[in-house]
Amino acid sequence: MKFVLITGPLAVGKMTVGQELAKITNLKLFHNHMTIELVNHFFGYGTKEGKRLVNLFRQEIFEEVSKSNLDGMIFTYLWAFNLQADWDYVNRVTQLFESKGATVYYVELEADLGERIQRNKSSNRLEHKPSKRNVEWSENELKRSLESYRLNSLEGEINFPNYMKINNTNLSAEEVAELVKEKFDL
C-alpha cells in the first residue's frame, strides 16, 4: 500500500494535484475538505465539536484504508510547520500506515501568493469546497493564514526518505501529478 500526503498552503493546489494523481494511479483521493464540508453542515470546522468530528472521521477512514486491500490513498493536509501538534499528527498518520506495511510519500507544494489568490477562485475549488464559495472571506483567510502559520517547510526541515517539494506556480496539476508519479514510481 502507498500513502501519499500532499501538503502546502491554502489554495496551492493540493486537491487538484491529488485529483490528477488519482487519475493516473490506482490511489484513492481523500482531500481534507471531504470531512470538513460534511461536518460543516452541523458544526463549523473552527469549533471544538467540528474539529473533533473531522478528526474522528479521518482517523476511522485511515484505520480502514490502512488495513484494506486498496492500492493506497492520497491525502491532502494543511500542515502548519510552526505547530508541534501538526508535526505530531503527521507522525501519527505516518506510523499508522507504516505499521500496516504501507510506504508513505510526502509531497509539499508551494506557489506564489498571487497565483494562490487566483486559484482560490477556481471553479474546481469552489465546486468541491462549498465553504470556500464566499471568495472574499476565503481570500481574507488565505492572507490571514500568513500571519499565524508557516505553511511551507524550511530548507532541510523535512527529512523523510520519500519527500519532494515542488514549486507549482507555473505548473499545471497534471504536470505536478506526473512528476510525483515518476519520482515515487506510483
Side-chain angles (χ1 to χ4, degrees), residues 129-152:
K129 299 178 180 183
S131 63
K132 303 292 185 181
R133 290 180 184 157
N134 178 339
V135 176
E136 182 181 343
W137 172 85
S138 183
E139 185 174 316
N140 286 333
E141 279 296 298
L142 188 156
K143 291 175 181 174
R144 272 196 296 274
S145 72
L146 300 172
E147 298 169 10
S148 303
Y149 305 110
R150 185 168 51 83
L151 300 174
N152 278 117

PDB file of all heavy atoms in Angstrom, residues 129-152:
ATOM      1  N   LYS A 129     -15.446  22.534  -2.605  1.00  0.00           N
ATOM      2  CA  LYS A 129     -15.272  23.105  -1.269  1.00  0.00           C
ATOM      3  C   LYS A 129     -16.301  24.217  -1.048  1.00  0.00           C
ATOM      4  O   LYS A 129     -15.982  25.404  -1.124  1.00  0.00           O
ATOM      5  CB  LYS A 129     -13.848  23.656  -1.110  1.00  0.00           C
ATOM      6  CG  LYS A 129     -12.789  22.585  -1.276  1.00  0.00           C
ATOM      7  CD  LYS A 129     -11.396  23.171  -1.165  1.00  0.00           C
ATOM      8  CE  LYS A 129     -10.354  22.077  -1.326  1.00  0.00           C
ATOM      9  NZ  LYS A 129      -8.994  22.584  -1.148  1.00  0.00           N
ATOM     10  N   PRO A 130     -17.545  23.843  -0.764  1.00  0.00           N
ATOM     11  CA  PRO A 130     -18.591  24.854  -0.590  1.00  0.00           C
ATOM     12  C   PRO A 130     -18.251  25.931   0.438  1.00  0.00           C
ATOM     13  O   PRO A 130     -18.657  27.080   0.283  1.00  0.00           O
ATOM     14  CB  PRO A 130     -19.810  24.030  -0.146  1.00  0.00           C
ATOM     15  CG  PRO A 130     -19.563  22.670  -0.706  1.00  0.00           C
ATOM     16  CD  PRO A 130     -18.071  22.487  -0.677  1.00  0.00           C
ATOM     17  N   SER A 131     -17.482  25.574   1.458  1.00  0.00           N
ATOM     18  CA  SER A 131     -17.141  26.563   2.479  1.00  0.00           C
ATOM     19  C   SER A 131     -16.228  27.664   1.942  1.00  0.00           C
ATOM     20  O   SER A 131     -16.042  28.693   2.592  1.00  0.00           O
ATOM     21  CB  SER A 131     -16.487  25.886   3.684  1.00  0.00           C
ATOM     22  OG  SER A 131     -15.265  25.277   3.307  1.00  0.00           O
ATOM     23  N   LYS A 132     -15.679  27.487   0.746  1.00  0.00           N
ATOM     24  CA  LYS A 132     -14.799  28.488   0.134  1.00  0.00           C
ATOM     25  C   LYS A 132     -15.537  29.368  -0.882  1.00  0.00           C
ATOM     26  O   LYS A 132     -14.925  30.212  -1.527  1.00  0.00           O
ATOM     27  CB  LYS A 132     -13.613  27.808  -0.576  1.00  0.00           C
ATOM     28  CG  LYS A 132     -12.789  26.920   0.320  1.00  0.00           C
ATOM     29  CD  LYS A 132     -12.035  27.710   1.346  1.00  0.00           C
ATOM     30  CE  LYS A 132     -11.127  26.802   2.162  1.00  0.00           C
ATOM     31  NZ  LYS A 132     -10.400  27.526   3.184  1.00  0.00           N
ATOM     32  N   ARG A 133     -16.841  29.168  -1.039  1.00  0.00           N
ATOM     33  CA  ARG A 133     -17.578  29.889  -2.082  1.00  0.00           C
ATOM     34  C   ARG A 133     -17.761  31.377  -1.786  1.00  0.00           C
ATOM     35  O   ARG A 133     -18.019  32.148  -2.703  1.00  0.00           O
ATOM     36  CB  ARG A 133     -18.930  29.213  -2.320  1.00  0.00           C
ATOM     37  CG  ARG A 133     -18.740  27.869  -2.987  1.00  0.00           C
ATOM     38  CD  ARG A 133     -20.025  27.163  -3.247  1.00  0.00           C
ATOM     39  NE  ARG A 133     -19.740  25.833  -3.795  1.00  0.00           N
ATOM     40  CZ  ARG A 133     -20.567  24.815  -3.725  1.00  0.00           C
ATOM     41  NH1 ARG A 133     -21.760  24.970  -3.163  1.00  0.00           N
ATOM     42  NH2 ARG A 133     -20.234  23.649  -4.225  1.00  0.00           N
ATOM     43  N   ASN A 134     -17.630  31.770  -0.535  1.00  0.00           N
ATOM     44  CA  ASN A 134     -17.564  33.193  -0.219  1.00  0.00           C
ATOM     45  C   ASN A 134     -16.107  33.586  -0.470  1.00  0.00           C
ATOM     46  O   ASN A 134     -15.258  33.500   0.406  1.00  0.00           O
ATOM     47  CB  ASN A 134     -17.973  33.455   1.226  1.00  0.00           C
ATOM     48  CG  ASN A 134     -17.882  34.919   1.605  1.00  0.00           C
ATOM     49  OD1 ASN A 134     -17.170  35.702   0.971  1.00  0.00           O
ATOM     50  ND2 ASN A 134     -18.599  35.298   2.644  1.00  0.00           N
ATOM     51  N   VAL A 135     -15.837  33.974  -1.720  1.00  0.00           N
ATOM     52  CA  VAL A 135     -14.452  34.165  -2.170  1.00  0.00           C
ATOM     53  C   VAL A 135     -13.763  35.290  -1.407  1.00  0.00           C
ATOM     54  O   VAL A 135     -12.575  35.191  -1.091  1.00  0.00           O
ATOM     55  CB  VAL A 135     -14.405  34.387  -3.696  1.00  0.00           C
ATOM     56  CG1 VAL A 135     -12.997  34.679  -4.166  1.00  0.00           C
ATOM     57  CG2 VAL A 135     -14.957  33.165  -4.422  1.00  0.00           C
ATOM     58  N   GLU A 136     -14.487  36.344  -1.082  1.00  0.00           N
ATOM     59  CA  GLU A 136     -13.873  37.446  -0.325  1.00  0.00           C
ATOM     60  C   GLU A 136     -13.410  36.952   1.042  1.00  0.00           C
ATOM     61  O   GLU A 136     -12.281  37.210   1.457  1.00  0.00           O
ATOM     62  CB  GLU A 136     -14.872  38.597  -0.169  1.00  0.00           C
ATOM     63  CG  GLU A 136     -14.306  39.791   0.563  1.00  0.00           C
ATOM     64  CD  GLU A 136     -15.322  40.920   0.718  1.00  0.00           C
ATOM     65  OE1 GLU A 136     -16.344  40.925   0.008  1.00  0.00           O
ATOM     66  OE2 GLU A 136     -15.073  41.800   1.562  1.00  0.00           O
ATOM     67  N   TRP A 137     -14.271  36.229   1.737  1.00  0.00           N
ATOM     68  CA  TRP A 137     -13.903  35.665   3.036  1.00  0.00           C
ATOM     69  C   TRP A 137     -12.729  34.704   2.887  1.00  0.00           C
ATOM     70  O   TRP A 137     -11.768  34.731   3.659  1.00  0.00           O
ATOM     71  CB  TRP A 137     -15.098  34.930   3.654  1.00  0.00           C
ATOM     72  CG  TRP A 137     -14.731  34.177   4.898  1.00  0.00           C
ATOM     73  CD1 TRP A 137     -14.669  34.660   6.167  1.00  0.00           C
ATOM     74  CD2 TRP A 137     -14.323  32.798   4.964  1.00  0.00           C
ATOM     75  NE1 TRP A 137     -14.254  33.665   7.035  1.00  0.00           N
ATOM     76  CE2 TRP A 137     -14.034  32.518   6.312  1.00  0.00           C
ATOM     77  CE3 TRP A 137     -14.177  31.780   4.026  1.00  0.00           C
ATOM     78  CZ2 TRP A 137     -13.613  31.266   6.741  1.00  0.00           C
ATOM     79  CZ3 TRP A 137     -13.754  30.531   4.445  1.00  0.00           C
ATOM     80  CH2 TRP A 137     -13.486  30.281   5.793  1.00  0.00           C
ATOM     81  N   SER A 138     -12.812  33.831   1.889  1.00  0.00           N
ATOM     82  CA  SER A 138     -11.775  32.824   1.665  1.00  0.00           C
ATOM     83  C   SER A 138     -10.420  33.470   1.364  1.00  0.00           C
ATOM     84  O   SER A 138      -9.380  33.040   1.868  1.00  0.00           O
ATOM     85  CB  SER A 138     -12.202  31.897   0.522  1.00  0.00           C
ATOM     86  OG  SER A 138     -11.269  30.894   0.323  1.00  0.00           O
ATOM     87  N   GLU A 139     -10.429  34.515   0.546  1.00  0.00           N
ATOM     88  CA  GLU A 139      -9.181  35.210   0.239  1.00  0.00           C
ATOM     89  C   GLU A 139      -8.605  35.869   1.487  1.00  0.00           C
ATOM     90  O   GLU A 139      -7.389  35.848   1.709  1.00  0.00           O
ATOM     91  CB  GLU A 139      -9.403  36.250  -0.856  1.00  0.00           C
ATOM     92  CG  GLU A 139      -8.124  36.918  -1.301  1.00  0.00           C
ATOM     93  CD  GLU A 139      -8.309  37.840  -2.493  1.00  0.00           C
ATOM     94  OE1 GLU A 139      -9.010  37.449  -3.452  1.00  0.00           O
ATOM     95  OE2 GLU A 139      -7.746  38.954  -2.464  1.00  0.00           O
ATOM     96  N   ASN A 140      -9.474  36.442   2.319  1.00  0.00           N
ATOM     97  CA  ASN A 140      -9.002  37.035   3.568  1.00  0.00           C
ATOM     98  C   ASN A 140      -8.405  35.976   4.492  1.00  0.00           C
ATOM     99  O   ASN A 140      -7.402  36.222   5.158  1.00  0.00           O
ATOM    100  CB  ASN A 140     -10.127  37.794   4.270  1.00  0.00           C
ATOM    101  CG  ASN A 140     -10.439  39.104   3.576  1.00  0.00           C
ATOM    102  OD1 ASN A 140      -9.587  39.700   2.920  1.00  0.00           O
ATOM    103  ND2 ASN A 140     -11.678  39.562   3.677  1.00  0.00           N
ATOM    104  N   GLU A 141      -9.026  34.787   4.529  1.00  0.00           N
ATOM    105  CA  GLU A 141      -8.488  33.679   5.330  1.00  0.00           C
ATOM    106  C   GLU A 141      -7.110  33.266   4.824  1.00  0.00           C
ATOM    107  O   GLU A 141      -6.205  33.001   5.606  1.00  0.00           O
ATOM    108  CB  GLU A 141      -9.431  32.472   5.285  1.00  0.00           C
ATOM    109  CG  GLU A 141     -10.598  32.549   6.222  1.00  0.00           C
ATOM    110  CD  GLU A 141     -10.179  32.569   7.680  1.00  0.00           C
ATOM    111  OE1 GLU A 141      -9.560  31.601   8.159  1.00  0.00           O
ATOM    112  OE2 GLU A 141     -10.461  33.588   8.343  1.00  0.00           O
ATOM    113  N   LEU A 142      -6.992  33.209   3.509  1.00  0.00           N
ATOM    114  CA  LEU A 142      -5.716  32.863   2.888  1.00  0.00           C
ATOM    115  C   LEU A 142      -4.637  33.849   3.331  1.00  0.00           C
ATOM    116  O   LEU A 142      -3.546  33.453   3.749  1.00  0.00           O
ATOM    117  CB  LEU A 142      -5.891  32.878   1.367  1.00  0.00           C
ATOM    118  CG  LEU A 142      -4.756  32.371   0.500  1.00  0.00           C
ATOM    119  CD1 LEU A 142      -5.324  31.916  -0.841  1.00  0.00           C
ATOM    120  CD2 LEU A 142      -3.695  33.394   0.271  1.00  0.00           C
ATOM    121  N   LYS A 143      -4.939  35.115   3.271  1.00  0.00           N
ATOM    122  CA  LYS A 143      -3.963  36.147   3.665  1.00  0.00           C
ATOM    123  C   LYS A 143      -3.697  36.120   5.171  1.00  0.00           C
ATOM    124  O   LYS A 143      -2.556  36.286   5.608  1.00  0.00           O
ATOM    125  CB  LYS A 143      -4.450  37.523   3.229  1.00  0.00           C
ATOM    126  CG  LYS A 143      -4.428  37.696   1.714  1.00  0.00           C
ATOM    127  CD  LYS A 143      -5.026  39.025   1.297  1.00  0.00           C
ATOM    128  CE  LYS A 143      -5.022  39.190  -0.213  1.00  0.00           C
ATOM    129  NZ  LYS A 143      -5.718  40.409  -0.638  1.00  0.00           N
ATOM    130  N   ARG A 144      -4.761  35.918   5.967  1.00  0.00           N
ATOM    131  CA  ARG A 144      -4.590  35.861   7.426  1.00  0.00           C
ATOM    132  C   ARG A 144      -3.730  34.676   7.851  1.00  0.00           C
ATOM    133  O   ARG A 144      -3.017  34.745   8.851  1.00  0.00           O
ATOM    134  CB  ARG A 144      -5.948  35.795   8.133  1.00  0.00           C
ATOM    135  CG  ARG A 144      -6.555  37.159   8.431  1.00  0.00           C
ATOM    136  CD  ARG A 144      -7.679  37.064   9.450  1.00  0.00           C
ATOM    137  NE  ARG A 144      -8.809  36.292   8.969  1.00  0.00           N
ATOM    138  CZ  ARG A 144      -9.813  36.772   8.236  1.00  0.00           C
ATOM    139  NH1 ARG A 144      -9.819  38.037   7.886  1.00  0.00           N
ATOM    140  NH2 ARG A 144     -10.802  36.007   7.861  1.00  0.00           N
ATOM    141  N   SER A 145      -3.804  33.580   7.102  1.00  0.00           N
ATOM    142  CA  SER A 145      -3.022  32.396   7.465  1.00  0.00           C
ATOM    143  C   SER A 145      -1.525  32.706   7.466  1.00  0.00           C
ATOM    144  O   SER A 145      -0.764  32.093   8.217  1.00  0.00           O
ATOM    145  CB  SER A 145      -3.326  31.234   6.511  1.00  0.00           C
ATOM    146  OG  SER A 145      -2.771  31.458   5.223  1.00  0.00           O
ATOM    147  N   LEU A 146      -1.109  33.667   6.637  1.00  0.00           N
ATOM    148  CA  LEU A 146       0.303  34.036   6.561  1.00  0.00           C
ATOM    149  C   LEU A 146       0.797  34.692   7.846  1.00  0.00           C
ATOM    150  O   LEU A 146       1.989  34.670   8.139  1.00  0.00           O
ATOM    151  CB  LEU A 146       0.529  34.991   5.388  1.00  0.00           C
ATOM    152  CG  LEU A 146       0.163  34.464   4.003  1.00  0.00           C
ATOM    153  CD1 LEU A 146       0.256  35.569   2.966  1.00  0.00           C
ATOM    154  CD2 LEU A 146       1.042  33.288   3.634  1.00  0.00           C
ATOM    155  N   GLU A 147      -0.132  35.260   8.623  1.00  0.00           N
ATOM    156  CA  GLU A 147       0.240  35.956   9.854  1.00  0.00           C
ATOM    157  C   GLU A 147       0.538  34.992  11.001  1.00  0.00           C
ATOM    158  O   GLU A 147       1.334  35.302  11.874  1.00  0.00           O
ATOM    159  CB  GLU A 147      -0.878  36.916  10.273  1.00  0.00           C
ATOM    160  CG  GLU A 147      -1.154  38.000   9.255  1.00  0.00           C
ATOM    161  CD  GLU A 147      -2.436  38.777   9.541  1.00  0.00           C
ATOM    162  OE1 GLU A 147      -3.017  38.603  10.635  1.00  0.00           O
ATOM    163  OE2 GLU A 147      -2.851  39.548   8.656  1.00  0.00           O
ATOM    164  N   SER A 148      -0.134  33.834  10.994  1.00  0.00           N
ATOM    165  CA  SER A 148      -0.039  32.920  12.130  1.00  0.00           C
ATOM    166  C   SER A 148       0.701  31.623  11.850  1.00  0.00           C
ATOM    167  O   SER A 148       1.202  30.994  12.775  1.00  0.00           O
ATOM    168  CB  SER A 148      -1.446  32.554  12.616  1.00  0.00           C
ATOM    169  OG  SER A 148      -2.174  33.708  12.950  1.00  0.00           O
ATOM    170  N   TYR A 149       0.719  31.214  10.596  1.00  0.00           N
ATOM    171  CA  TYR A 149       1.223  29.880  10.289  1.00  0.00           C
ATOM    172  C   TYR A 149       2.319  29.908   9.231  1.00  0.00           C
ATOM    173  O   TYR A 149       2.287  30.724   8.322  1.00  0.00           O
ATOM    174  CB  TYR A 149       0.083  28.978   9.793  1.00  0.00           C
ATOM    175  CG  TYR A 149      -1.062  28.920  10.761  1.00  0.00           C
ATOM    176  CD1 TYR A 149      -2.274  29.528  10.463  1.00  0.00           C
ATOM    177  CD2 TYR A 149      -0.931  28.274  11.985  1.00  0.00           C
ATOM    178  CE1 TYR A 149      -3.324  29.489  11.365  1.00  0.00           C
ATOM    179  CE2 TYR A 149      -1.965  28.231  12.891  1.00  0.00           C
ATOM    180  CZ  TYR A 149      -3.165  28.845  12.578  1.00  0.00           C
ATOM    181  OH  TYR A 149      -4.198  28.811  13.470  1.00  0.00           O
ATOM    182  N   ARG A 150       3.248  28.984   9.379  1.00  0.00           N
ATOM    183  CA  ARG A 150       4.256  28.760   8.349  1.00  0.00           C
ATOM    184  C   ARG A 150       3.840  27.493   7.627  1.00  0.00           C
ATOM    185  O   ARG A 150       3.944  26.393   8.157  1.00  0.00           O
ATOM    186  CB  ARG A 150       5.644  28.632   8.979  1.00  0.00           C
ATOM    187  CG  ARG A 150       6.736  28.510   7.935  1.00  0.00           C
ATOM    188  CD  ARG A 150       8.127  28.677   8.536  1.00  0.00           C
ATOM    189  NE  ARG A 150       8.370  27.836   9.686  1.00  0.00           N
ATOM    190  CZ  ARG A 150       8.741  26.559   9.622  1.00  0.00           C
ATOM    191  NH1 ARG A 150       8.892  25.961   8.455  1.00  0.00           N
ATOM    192  NH2 ARG A 150       8.965  25.872  10.724  1.00  0.00           N
ATOM    193  N   LEU A 151       3.329  27.660   6.411  1.00  0.00           N
ATOM    194  CA  LEU A 151       2.685  26.568   5.690  1.00  0.00           C
ATOM    195  C   LEU A 151       3.580  25.925   4.635  1.00  0.00           C
ATOM    196  O   LEU A 151       3.120  25.091   3.859  1.00  0.00           O
ATOM    197  CB  LEU A 151       1.361  27.041   5.088  1.00  0.00           C
ATOM    198  CG  LEU A 151       0.356  27.549   6.143  1.00  0.00           C
ATOM    199  CD1 LEU A 151      -0.872  28.152   5.486  1.00  0.00           C
ATOM    200  CD2 LEU A 151      -0.027  26.440   7.104  1.00  0.00           C
ATOM    201  N   ASN A 152       4.831  26.320   4.610  1.00  0.00           N
ATOM    202  CA  ASN A 152       5.851  25.623   3.820  1.00  0.00           C
ATOM    203  C   ASN A 152       7.045  25.391   4.726  1.00  0.00           C
ATOM    204  O   ASN A 152       7.338  26.190   5.621  1.00  0.00           O
ATOM    205  CB  ASN A 152       6.265  26.407   2.574  1.00  0.00           C
ATOM    206  CG  ASN A 152       5.309  26.217   1.420  1.00  0.00           C
ATOM    207  OD1 ASN A 152       4.671  27.154   0.962  1.00  0.00           O
ATOM    208  ND2 ASN A 152       5.184  24.987   0.940  1.00  0.00           N
TER     209      ASN A 152
END
